[in-house]
Amino acid sequence: MADSSFDIVSKVERQEVDNALNQAAKEISQRYDFKGVGASIEWSGEKIEMRANAEERVKAVLDIFQSKLIKRGISLKSLDAGEPQPSGKEYKIFASIEEGISQENAKKVAKIIRDEGPKGVKAQVQGDELRVTSKSRDDLQAVQQLLKGKDLDFAIQFVNYR
């Protein structure tokens, strides 16, 4: 029987992020506590730019955006938000969406699988993803449960299960 496998990736659906951003922008434009503070959130190239006239207001904009991401099923581990920076009379926060598993993180995950996973499970790095193979599908499911239980500092998804 052929080996079963799945890939571990770190991808974020751009459309879902876009929807969360639009929902956050709509809420900010309608909320009473944001009237007259110049609060906004929008794409700025590949980054997301949040603005307001006070540091705590721009942090509140970030908080709203994070809550919208959670509602859309996007892990906050894939959101890399900077600190509020003063820019003229307003404050800005730039945030980016992290995608792909770095070589260093892929090696960490492979080590966890080697050390704590079932015997006979192999993990190999392929670009920005990790392929996990085994003869037993039960072993692969055990690896998925093991990784879900770990508190990794980046978001992972399991795809191409076959």
Side-chain angles (χ1 to χ4, degrees), residues 28-39:
I28 290 163
S29 70
Q30 292 175 343
R31 269 182 40 178
Y32 179 75
D33 56 336
F34 283 112
K35 292 279 185 249
V37 297

Side-chain angles (χ1 to χ4, degrees), residues 5 8 45 49 56 59 72 81 90 105 109 112 115 123 128 144 157:
S5 69
I8 301 173
E49 182 181 346
E56 54 276 350
K59 284 181 179 176
R72 301 206 71 84
E90 63 185 9
N105 287 338
V109 173
I112 290 170
D115 295 348
D128 62 350
Q144 287 183 352
Q157 294 86 32

Side-chain angles (χ1 to χ4, degrees), residues 27-86:
E27 182 173 327
I28 290 163
S29 70
Q30 292 175 343
R31 269 182 40 178
Y32 179 75
D33 56 336
F34 283 112
K35 292 279 185 249
V37 297
S40 68
I41 181 170
E42 61 193 9
W43 285 104
S44 173
E46 282 298 304
K47 292 191 180 284
I48 298 161
E49 182 181 346
M50 293 160 261
R51 302 175 181 190
N53 66 357
E55 189 172 346
E56 54 276 350
R57 286 284 121 220
V58 78
K59 284 181 179 176
V61 171
L62 175 61
D63 191 48
I64 290 170
F65 181 54
Q66 288 174 334
S67 71
K68 299 299 179 192
L69 286 174
I70 290 169
K71 282 184 182 172
R72 301 206 71 84
I74 297 171
S75 172
L76 292 183
K77 291 178 181 177
S78 59
L79 178 70
D80 181 24
E83 288 299 310
Q85 303 165 337

Side-chain angles (χ1 to χ4, degrees), residues 1-4 120 133-137 139:
M1 189 174 126
D3 285 0
S4 300
T133 56
S134 173
K135 291 199 183 312
S136 164
R137 286 179 172 245
D139 287 351

